[in-house]
Structure formats: structure tokens, C-alpha cells
Amino acid sequence: AKQYLSLLTEGDKAHENLITSFKAVDDPVGTVFFGDHQPGICNDLIKLLYGQGNSGLTGQELENLYKVPFFIWTNYETDAQKVDVTSLNYLSTLTLERANIDLPAYNRFLAELMEKIPAINSRGYYSKKNECFMHVDDATGDEAKWIKAYNILQYNSMFDEKDRSSLLFPYLK
């Protein structure tokens, strides 16, 4: 099983070729490498790895099935930074910060949200207070307020065409 997992995390060498080509470019270049999910793993393999199927896994074990590596590479000098817990919704903010680009209003909100809620997805969120992944319905206090604000902004950007915030989403006309 460990051998199979190492194959899942090994990519081809295309990213190396891309980086090599950008190393010689004079203009500043940044590239982001990520995947939005791991390859599908059948329930039999999950049982082999964890001793039980999906339905018996803890929230943290389920989250581990959806962790994917990412990195942001630049052809200019930047400090290395390790991000232990994050989610895809923050990737644009992390990229803009790495490029030293002023954050638009929505990304400023996401930067603040990231401080309070380091990861959030359809399965739940990472609670700094409890130091674990939790279901969003179990959020309390400030965590619940930040999640609610995020949900409102998600709705506003995706569905509320009539009252969409032009400050936060000027590019969605």
C-alpha cells in the first residue's frame, strides 16, 4: 500500500521542464503547481490503509484523503515558506502575496479569513481553537461568524447578480 501511495504523489517531469524554461526569462515569473484532488482510491484500498472504509474514518482521516501538495515557484528571490494547513480557496491569495501584488478587496478578506480559518472546504474546516478538522455546523464563536461571512460572500459572488458587491467582485459584471 505504501508503494502505491508513493506512486500517487510522484508526478511526471513536466513541471521541471517548465521551471527550467522560465529560469532563463528576464521578466519576473511565478508558477503555481497544484491538484484539486488526489487520484480516486477505491474503498478496498482505503480499508487496507486504514483498516476500515470511508464511513468509519474520522474527519481528519477523511481530510487526509483530499490533501494534495502544491508549490509556488518564482524565478526571482523569495523566502521559502511552508504552509501546513490550507485549502484551494486561499491559493490565489497566497500566489498574489508571493508575487508582492496588492491584494484586491476579496483577497484581503480571504487573507483575514485564512488567519482565523486556515482551511475550509465542502467537508468542513480546520479549527485553530480545537486544532482539528470539524464540520462547519459545529463551528462556534468567531469561527462560526467568519464561516457565515464567507458563505455570504460566496453566495454573493456566485448567485446574487442583482446585488453583487462591485467592491469585492468588480470583475464579475
Side-chain angles (χ1 to χ4, degrees):
K2 287 182 182 179
Q3 198 172 26
Y4 179 75
L5 285 178
S6 70
L7 290 174
L8 293 176
T9 60
E10 291 177 12
D12 60 24
K13 301 298 178 188
H15 62 276
E16 287 182 33
N17 294 337
L18 184 63
I19 288 172
T20 299
S21 68
F22 281 129
K23 281 182 179 178
V25 174
D26 291 333
D27 292 325
V29 174
T31 58
V32 180
F33 296 87
F34 75 99
D36 64 345
H37 61 85
Q38 292 181 0
I41 300 175
C42 69
N43 206 36
D44 290 339
L45 182 59
I46 291 171
K47 285 179 185 176
L48 178 66
L49 295 171
Y50 291 98
Q52 57 193 336
N54 272 350
S55 61
L57 299 180
T58 66
Q60 181 64 54
E61 290 169 334
L62 281 169
E63 286 295 330
N64 288 341
L65 293 175
Y66 290 88
K67 281 185 180 179
V68 294
F70 79 95
F71 68 93
I72 301 170
W73 176 87
T74 62
N75 69 347
Y76 51 89
E77 192 66 35
T78 56
D79 292 332
Q81 178 184 359
K82 184 177 183 213
V83 179
D84 291 320
V85 177
T86 193
S87 48
L88 185 58
N89 59 313
Y90 298 131
L91 195 53
S92 65
T93 302
L94 292 168
T95 303
L96 291 169
E97 288 174 339
R98 175 63 56 179
N100 293 317
I101 295 173
D102 289 335
L103 297 179
Y106 183 64
N107 290 94
R108 287 194 305 269
F109 169 81
L110 288 177
E112 287 185 53
L113 178 65
M114 189 171 24
E115 291 295 318
K116 309 292 183 193
I117 310 288
I120 187 167
N121 59 40
S122 63
R123 295 193 170 276
Y125 76 103
Y126 186 82
S127 170
K128 285 177 83 169
K129 179 174 52 177
N130 297 304
E131 298 180 347
C132 65
F133 280 94
M134 298 177 55
H135 193 278
V136 291
D137 292 340
D138 296 331
T140 60
D142 277 350
E143 290 179 342
K145 289 177 189 174
W146 278 96
I147 291 170
K148 182 177 181 180
Y150 180 56
N151 288 338
I152 289 169
L153 290 180
Q154 283 183 311
Y155 178 85
N156 183 251
S157 72
M158 293 170 55
F159 304 112
D160 194 3
E161 292 179 29
K162 181 179 171 244
D163 294 318
R164 183 173 292 134
S165 171
S166 60
L167 170 68
L168 294 171
F169 311 108
Y171 45 84
L172 296 177
K173 298 241 176 214

PDB file of all heavy atoms in Angstrom, residues 91-113:
ATOM      1  N   LEU A  91      -5.519  29.744  -2.453  1.00  0.00           N
ATOM      2  CA  LEU A  91      -4.361  29.652  -3.343  1.00  0.00           C
ATOM      3  C   LEU A  91      -4.119  30.955  -4.111  1.00  0.00           C
ATOM      4  O   LEU A  91      -2.974  31.380  -4.281  1.00  0.00           O
ATOM      5  CB  LEU A  91      -4.517  28.474  -4.303  1.00  0.00           C
ATOM      6  CG  LEU A  91      -3.273  28.033  -5.043  1.00  0.00           C
ATOM      7  CD1 LEU A  91      -2.109  27.756  -4.111  1.00  0.00           C
ATOM      8  CD2 LEU A  91      -3.576  26.795  -5.867  1.00  0.00           C
ATOM      9  N   SER A  92      -5.174  31.617  -4.554  1.00  0.00           N
ATOM     10  CA  SER A  92      -4.986  32.889  -5.268  1.00  0.00           C
ATOM     11  C   SER A  92      -4.374  33.942  -4.343  1.00  0.00           C
ATOM     12  O   SER A  92      -3.489  34.705  -4.759  1.00  0.00           O
ATOM     13  CB  SER A  92      -6.311  33.393  -5.848  1.00  0.00           C
ATOM     14  OG  SER A  92      -7.235  33.710  -4.818  1.00  0.00           O
ATOM     15  N   THR A  93      -4.805  33.983  -3.106  1.00  0.00           N
ATOM     16  CA  THR A  93      -4.265  34.945  -2.146  1.00  0.00           C
ATOM     17  C   THR A  93      -2.798  34.648  -1.860  1.00  0.00           C
ATOM     18  O   THR A  93      -1.962  35.561  -1.857  1.00  0.00           O
ATOM     19  CB  THR A  93      -5.092  34.928  -0.843  1.00  0.00           C
ATOM     20  OG1 THR A  93      -6.458  35.227  -1.162  1.00  0.00           O
ATOM     21  CG2 THR A  93      -4.570  35.933   0.166  1.00  0.00           C
ATOM     22  N   LEU A  94      -2.468  33.387  -1.637  1.00  0.00           N
ATOM     23  CA  LEU A  94      -1.074  33.009  -1.405  1.00  0.00           C
ATOM     24  C   LEU A  94      -0.197  33.367  -2.609  1.00  0.00           C
ATOM     25  O   LEU A  94       0.935  33.838  -2.453  1.00  0.00           O
ATOM     26  CB  LEU A  94      -0.965  31.514  -1.103  1.00  0.00           C
ATOM     27  CG  LEU A  94      -1.574  31.045   0.217  1.00  0.00           C
ATOM     28  CD1 LEU A  94      -1.666  29.518   0.256  1.00  0.00           C
ATOM     29  CD2 LEU A  94      -0.781  31.574   1.388  1.00  0.00           C
ATOM     30  N   THR A  95      -0.731  33.173  -3.805  1.00  0.00           N
ATOM     31  CA  THR A  95       0.021  33.475  -5.025  1.00  0.00           C
ATOM     32  C   THR A  95       0.237  34.978  -5.172  1.00  0.00           C
ATOM     33  O   THR A  95       1.351  35.422  -5.479  1.00  0.00           O
ATOM     34  CB  THR A  95      -0.718  32.915  -6.251  1.00  0.00           C
ATOM     35  OG1 THR A  95      -0.903  31.503  -6.077  1.00  0.00           O
ATOM     36  CG2 THR A  95       0.047  33.173  -7.530  1.00  0.00           C
ATOM     37  N   LEU A  96      -0.803  35.768  -4.969  1.00  0.00           N
ATOM     38  CA  LEU A  96      -0.673  37.222  -5.063  1.00  0.00           C
ATOM     39  C   LEU A  96       0.303  37.753  -4.014  1.00  0.00           C
ATOM     40  O   LEU A  96       1.115  38.639  -4.306  1.00  0.00           O
ATOM     41  CB  LEU A  96      -2.040  37.892  -4.903  1.00  0.00           C
ATOM     42  CG  LEU A  96      -3.034  37.671  -6.046  1.00  0.00           C
ATOM     43  CD1 LEU A  96      -4.422  38.153  -5.650  1.00  0.00           C
ATOM     44  CD2 LEU A  96      -2.562  38.350  -7.311  1.00  0.00           C
ATOM     45  N   GLU A  97       0.230  37.215  -2.801  1.00  0.00           N
ATOM     46  CA  GLU A  97       1.170  37.631  -1.756  1.00  0.00           C
ATOM     47  C   GLU A  97       2.598  37.297  -2.152  1.00  0.00           C
ATOM     48  O   GLU A  97       3.510  38.106  -1.974  1.00  0.00           O
ATOM     49  CB  GLU A  97       0.813  36.974  -0.421  1.00  0.00           C
ATOM     50  CG  GLU A  97      -0.435  37.523   0.216  1.00  0.00           C
ATOM     51  CD  GLU A  97      -0.866  36.778   1.469  1.00  0.00           C
ATOM     52  OE1 GLU A  97      -0.459  35.608   1.661  1.00  0.00           O
ATOM     53  OE2 GLU A  97      -1.611  37.364   2.256  1.00  0.00           O
ATOM     54  N   ARG A  98       2.822  36.104  -2.680  1.00  0.00           N
ATOM     55  CA  ARG A  98       4.160  35.671  -3.097  1.00  0.00           C
ATOM     56  C   ARG A  98       4.700  36.578  -4.201  1.00  0.00           C
ATOM     57  O   ARG A  98       5.890  36.851  -4.269  1.00  0.00           O
ATOM     58  CB  ARG A  98       4.101  34.214  -3.573  1.00  0.00           C
ATOM     59  CG  ARG A  98       5.374  33.646  -4.142  1.00  0.00           C
ATOM     60  CD  ARG A  98       6.507  33.576  -3.184  1.00  0.00           C
ATOM     61  NE  ARG A  98       6.145  32.819  -2.013  1.00  0.00           N
ATOM     62  CZ  ARG A  98       6.960  32.588  -1.007  1.00  0.00           C
ATOM     63  NH1 ARG A  98       8.183  33.004  -1.054  1.00  0.00           N
ATOM     64  NH2 ARG A  98       6.566  31.934   0.041  1.00  0.00           N
ATOM     65  N   ALA A  99       3.803  37.093  -5.049  1.00  0.00           N
ATOM     66  CA  ALA A  99       4.204  37.962  -6.151  1.00  0.00           C
ATOM     67  C   ALA A  99       4.300  39.434  -5.726  1.00  0.00           C
ATOM     68  O   ALA A  99       4.576  40.298  -6.556  1.00  0.00           O
ATOM     69  CB  ALA A  99       3.222  37.816  -7.307  1.00  0.00           C
ATOM     70  N   ASN A 100       4.054  39.702  -4.450  1.00  0.00           N
ATOM     71  CA  ASN A 100       4.073  41.081  -3.927  1.00  0.00           C
ATOM     72  C   ASN A 100       3.103  41.993  -4.674  1.00  0.00           C
ATOM     73  O   ASN A 100       3.403  43.148  -4.950  1.00  0.00           O
ATOM     74  CB  ASN A 100       5.493  41.656  -3.967  1.00  0.00           C
ATOM     75  CG  ASN A 100       6.406  40.933  -3.010  1.00  0.00           C
ATOM     76  OD1 ASN A 100       6.026  40.649  -1.880  1.00  0.00           O
ATOM     77  ND2 ASN A 100       7.602  40.610  -3.465  1.00  0.00           N
ATOM     78  N   ILE A 101       1.940  41.463  -5.002  1.00  0.00           N
ATOM     79  CA  ILE A 101       0.881  42.228  -5.661  1.00  0.00           C
ATOM     80  C   ILE A 101      -0.127  42.640  -4.599  1.00  0.00           C
ATOM     81  O   ILE A 101      -0.513  41.831  -3.747  1.00  0.00           O
ATOM     82  CB  ILE A 101       0.204  41.379  -6.765  1.00  0.00           C
ATOM     83  CG1 ILE A 101       1.215  41.071  -7.875  1.00  0.00           C
ATOM     84  CG2 ILE A 101      -1.033  42.067  -7.308  1.00  0.00           C
ATOM     85  CD1 ILE A 101       0.699  40.113  -8.928  1.00  0.00           C
ATOM     86  N   ASP A 102      -0.527  43.917  -4.636  1.00  0.00           N
ATOM     87  CA  ASP A 102      -1.540  44.387  -3.699  1.00  0.00           C
ATOM     88  C   ASP A 102      -2.795  43.542  -3.841  1.00  0.00           C
ATOM     89  O   ASP A 102      -3.277  43.312  -4.957  1.00  0.00           O
ATOM     90  CB  ASP A 102      -1.887  45.856  -3.949  1.00  0.00           C
ATOM     91  CG  ASP A 102      -0.764  46.802  -3.550  1.00  0.00           C
ATOM     92  OD1 ASP A 102       0.054  46.421  -2.666  1.00  0.00           O
ATOM     93  OD2 ASP A 102      -0.702  47.908  -4.108  1.00  0.00           O
ATOM     94  N   LEU A 103      -3.316  43.108  -2.712  1.00  0.00           N
ATOM     95  CA  LEU A 103      -4.480  42.235  -2.740  1.00  0.00           C
ATOM     96  C   LEU A 103      -5.759  43.013  -3.043  1.00  0.00           C
ATOM     97  O   LEU A 103      -6.023  44.045  -2.413  1.00  0.00           O
ATOM     98  CB  LEU A 103      -4.646  41.525  -1.392  1.00  0.00           C
ATOM     99  CG  LEU A 103      -3.535  40.589  -0.959  1.00  0.00           C
ATOM    100  CD1 LEU A 103      -3.845  40.000   0.414  1.00  0.00           C
ATOM    101  CD2 LEU A 103      -3.316  39.479  -1.969  1.00  0.00           C
ATOM    102  N   PRO A 104      -6.559  42.530  -3.985  1.00  0.00           N
ATOM    103  CA  PRO A 104      -7.895  43.105  -4.170  1.00  0.00           C
ATOM    104  C   PRO A 104      -8.722  42.894  -2.901  1.00  0.00           C
ATOM    105  O   PRO A 104      -8.376  42.074  -2.041  1.00  0.00           O
ATOM    106  CB  PRO A 104      -8.472  42.295  -5.337  1.00  0.00           C
ATOM    107  CG  PRO A 104      -7.303  41.644  -5.997  1.00  0.00           C
ATOM    108  CD  PRO A 104      -6.266  41.463  -4.929  1.00  0.00           C
ATOM    109  N   ALA A 105      -9.829  43.594  -2.793  1.00  0.00           N
ATOM    110  CA  ALA A 105     -10.646  43.566  -1.572  1.00  0.00           C
ATOM    111  C   ALA A 105     -11.033  42.141  -1.166  1.00  0.00           C
ATOM    112  O   ALA A 105     -10.934  41.773   0.007  1.00  0.00           O
ATOM    113  CB  ALA A 105     -11.890  44.426  -1.762  1.00  0.00           C
ATOM    114  N   TYR A 106     -11.486  41.333  -2.117  1.00  0.00           N
ATOM    115  CA  TYR A 106     -11.910  39.977  -1.767  1.00  0.00           C
ATOM    116  C   TYR A 106     -10.735  39.155  -1.241  1.00  0.00           C
ATOM    117  O   TYR A 106     -10.881  38.409  -0.277  1.00  0.00           O
ATOM    118  CB  TYR A 106     -12.554  39.284  -2.973  1.00  0.00           C
ATOM    119  CG  TYR A 106     -13.076  37.899  -2.649  1.00  0.00           C
ATOM    120  CD1 TYR A 106     -14.106  37.729  -1.730  1.00  0.00           C
ATOM    121  CD2 TYR A 106     -12.536  36.773  -3.247  1.00  0.00           C
ATOM    122  CE1 TYR A 106     -14.585  36.464  -1.413  1.00  0.00           C
ATOM    123  CE2 TYR A 106     -13.022  35.508  -2.951  1.00  0.00           C
ATOM    124  CZ  TYR A 106     -14.039  35.358  -2.043  1.00  0.00           C
ATOM    125  OH  TYR A 106     -14.505  34.109  -1.717  1.00  0.00           O
ATOM    126  N   ASN A 107      -9.554  39.311  -1.834  1.00  0.00           N
ATOM    127  CA  ASN A 107      -8.388  38.571  -1.353  1.00  0.00           C
ATOM    128  C   ASN A 107      -7.917  39.086   0.009  1.00  0.00           C
ATOM    129  O   ASN A 107      -7.360  38.321   0.792  1.00  0.00           O
ATOM    130  CB  ASN A 107      -7.254  38.614  -2.379  1.00  0.00           C
ATOM    131  CG  ASN A 107      -7.590  37.786  -3.592  1.00  0.00           C
ATOM    132  OD1 ASN A 107      -8.114  38.318  -4.571  1.00  0.00           O
ATOM    133  ND2 ASN A 107      -7.335  36.499  -3.540  1.00  0.00           N
ATOM    134  N   ARG A 108      -8.140  40.362   0.289  1.00  0.00           N
ATOM    135  CA  ARG A 108      -7.847  40.861   1.643  1.00  0.00           C
ATOM    136  C   ARG A 108      -8.759  40.166   2.655  1.00  0.00           C
ATOM    137  O   ARG A 108      -8.333  39.783   3.737  1.00  0.00           O
ATOM    138  CB  ARG A 108      -7.992  42.383   1.707  1.00  0.00           C
ATOM    139  CG  ARG A 108      -6.867  43.128   1.002  1.00  0.00           C
ATOM    140  CD  ARG A 108      -6.828  44.599   1.347  1.00  0.00           C
ATOM    141  NE  ARG A 108      -8.064  45.312   1.113  1.00  0.00           N
ATOM    142  CZ  ARG A 108      -8.401  45.948  -0.010  1.00  0.00           C
ATOM    143  NH1 ARG A 108      -7.564  45.933  -1.037  1.00  0.00           N
ATOM    144  NH2 ARG A 108      -9.541  46.578  -0.108  1.00  0.00           N
ATOM    145  N   PHE A 109     -10.041  40.012   2.286  1.00  0.00           N
ATOM    146  CA  PHE A 109     -10.954  39.261   3.152  1.00  0.00           C
ATOM    147  C   PHE A 109     -10.450  37.833   3.338  1.00  0.00           C
ATOM    148  O   PHE A 109     -10.407  37.312   4.459  1.00  0.00           O
ATOM    149  CB  PHE A 109     -12.376  39.247   2.575  1.00  0.00           C
ATOM    150  CG  PHE A 109     -13.275  38.277   3.294  1.00  0.00           C
ATOM    151  CD1 PHE A 109     -13.862  38.614   4.496  1.00  0.00           C
ATOM    152  CD2 PHE A 109     -13.502  37.006   2.778  1.00  0.00           C
ATOM    153  CE1 PHE A 109     -14.665  37.708   5.183  1.00  0.00           C
ATOM    154  CE2 PHE A 109     -14.306  36.094   3.450  1.00  0.00           C
ATOM    155  CZ  PHE A 109     -14.892  36.453   4.660  1.00  0.00           C
ATOM    156  N   LEU A 110     -10.057  37.182   2.222  1.00  0.00           N
ATOM    157  CA  LEU A 110      -9.566  35.803   2.317  1.00  0.00           C
ATOM    158  C   LEU A 110      -8.305  35.708   3.176  1.00  0.00           C
ATOM    159  O   LEU A 110      -8.138  34.740   3.923  1.00  0.00           O
ATOM    160  CB  LEU A 110      -9.295  35.229   0.922  1.00  0.00           C
ATOM    161  CG  LEU A 110     -10.515  34.895   0.072  1.00  0.00           C
ATOM    162  CD1 LEU A 110     -10.077  34.400  -1.302  1.00  0.00           C
ATOM    163  CD2 LEU A 110     -11.407  33.880   0.755  1.00  0.00           C
ATOM    164  N   ALA A 111      -7.426  36.720   3.103  1.00  0.00           N
ATOM    165  CA  ALA A 111      -6.215  36.713   3.933  1.00  0.00           C
ATOM    166  C   ALA A 111      -6.587  36.764   5.411  1.00  0.00           C
ATOM    167  O   ALA A 111      -5.988  36.062   6.236  1.00  0.00           O
ATOM    168  CB  ALA A 111      -5.311  37.885   3.558  1.00  0.00           C
ATOM    169  N   GLU A 112      -7.591  37.574   5.755  1.00  0.00           N
ATOM    170  CA  GLU A 112      -8.053  37.629   7.145  1.00  0.00           C
ATOM    171  C   GLU A 112      -8.731  36.322   7.540  1.00  0.00           C
ATOM    172  O   GLU A 112      -8.515  35.811   8.644  1.00  0.00           O
ATOM    173  CB  GLU A 112      -9.021  38.795   7.345  1.00  0.00           C
ATOM    174  CG  GLU A 112      -8.349  40.140   7.338  1.00  0.00           C
ATOM    175  CD  GLU A 112      -9.334  41.252   7.662  1.00  0.00           C
ATOM    176  OE1 GLU A 112     -10.017  41.145   8.703  1.00  0.00           O
ATOM    177  OE2 GLU A 112      -9.417  42.199   6.858  1.00  0.00           O
ATOM    178  N   LEU A 113      -9.550  35.790   6.644  1.00  0.00           N
ATOM    179  CA  LEU A 113     -10.225  34.517   6.906  1.00  0.00           C
ATOM    180  C   LEU A 113      -9.209  33.407   7.122  1.00  0.00           C
ATOM    181  O   LEU A 113      -9.357  32.579   8.033  1.00  0.00           O
ATOM    182  CB  LEU A 113     -11.166  34.166   5.745  1.00  0.00           C
ATOM    183  CG  LEU A 113     -11.910  32.834   5.837  1.00  0.00           C
ATOM    184  CD1 LEU A 113     -12.880  32.828   7.019  1.00  0.00           C
ATOM    185  CD2 LEU A 113     -12.655  32.552   4.528  1.00  0.00           C
TER     186      LEU A 113
END
